[in-house]
Amino acid sequence: MASGMATASYELRFDSGRICLDLLATTHPEERLDSADRLRAWVTGSGLVPPGTPLPQADASWPVRFRELRGQIGQLVRGELNARPMDAALARVNAVALGSPPPLCAVRADDGVLVRRLPAAPGCGELLAAIARDTIELLTDPAARASLRHCEGDNCPLVYLDTSRGRRRRWCSSETCGNRERVARHRRRAALARA
């Protein structure tokens, strides 16, 4: 896990291959963006901002705006995967992408290595614009788009980029959905052996 932070009964996940898809993962198995603090943890863990970037402006309106964009991205991505155009969602994502993403600069750390920094704390609209642009880049890049997959786990709605060798990845996460499938398969075999 990129952030190293656990919340309630679940952890934030950053294993889908794209920031926009990681945003979609914040709905499963339960809502993960239900407070400004959890949103701050997600924004930092996702890499939208460099580590240590303060987000003092994040208030209760930010999770609402992120969840709204997440809904539009979810409709758009799943619509594209299922060959069902979602033009209203596309229009919303395009509108959000028109905003300016947070400006980055390079500064020297104490050890002399260049690191990313933001010259000022980003606003909500800037972060949303970066996610919307990531969505557009994903869906308009033929190679990336061809790697999009639905998780094959039971009742798992997640979408991920399959960058595995041979493009045979079946689950959003081998540790969660993959493990559940392996346990279920073992139980089925054990039940058949007992029968």
Side-chain angles (χ1 to χ4, degrees), residues 4 22 48 54 61 66-67 80 84 123 127 135 148 153 165 168 175 183 186:
D22 286 340
L48 268 175
S61 69
F66 270 75
R67 289 191 306 260
E80 291 299 306
R84 288 181 299 139
L127 297 173
T135 306
L148 274 174
R165 195 174 190 173
R168 292 183 293 183
E175 292 79 35
V183 168
H186 171 73

Side-chain angles (χ1 to χ4, degrees), residues 19-21 23-27 31 33 63-81 84-97 128-129 131-136 138-139 148 159:
I19 290 173
C20 61
L21 300 178
L23 181 61
L24 296 182
T26 62
T27 63
E31 179 59 60
L33 300 182
V64 172
R65 293 177 65 190
F66 270 75
R67 289 191 306 260
E68 179 181 296
L69 179 62
R70 179 184 66 196
Q72 300 299 324
I73 291 170
Q75 287 179 17
L76 180 59
V77 168
R78 289 181 182 97
E80 291 299 306
L81 276 171
R84 288 181 299 139
M86 296 291 185
D87 291 336
L90 176 61
R92 272 299 292 140
V93 170
N94 280 334
V96 173
L128 293 173
I131 297 168
R133 287 176 181 210
D134 184 56
T135 306
I136 291 168
L138 168 66
L139 295 177
L148 274 174
V159 177

Side-chain angles (χ1 to χ4, degrees), residues 180-194:
R180 280 188 212 116
E181 177 60 29
R182 287 186 291 275
V183 168
R185 201 170 34 222
H186 171 73
R187 287 182 179 155
R188 285 190 299 268
R189 281 194 305 258
L192 284 173
R194 284 190 304 267

Side-chain angles (χ1 to χ4, degrees), residues 40 43-55 102 104 116 118 122 127:
R40 280 188 203 96
V43 166
T44 301
S46 71
L48 268 175
V49 298
T53 301
L55 298 169
L104 280 176
R116 295 182 316 139
L118 299 179
L127 297 173

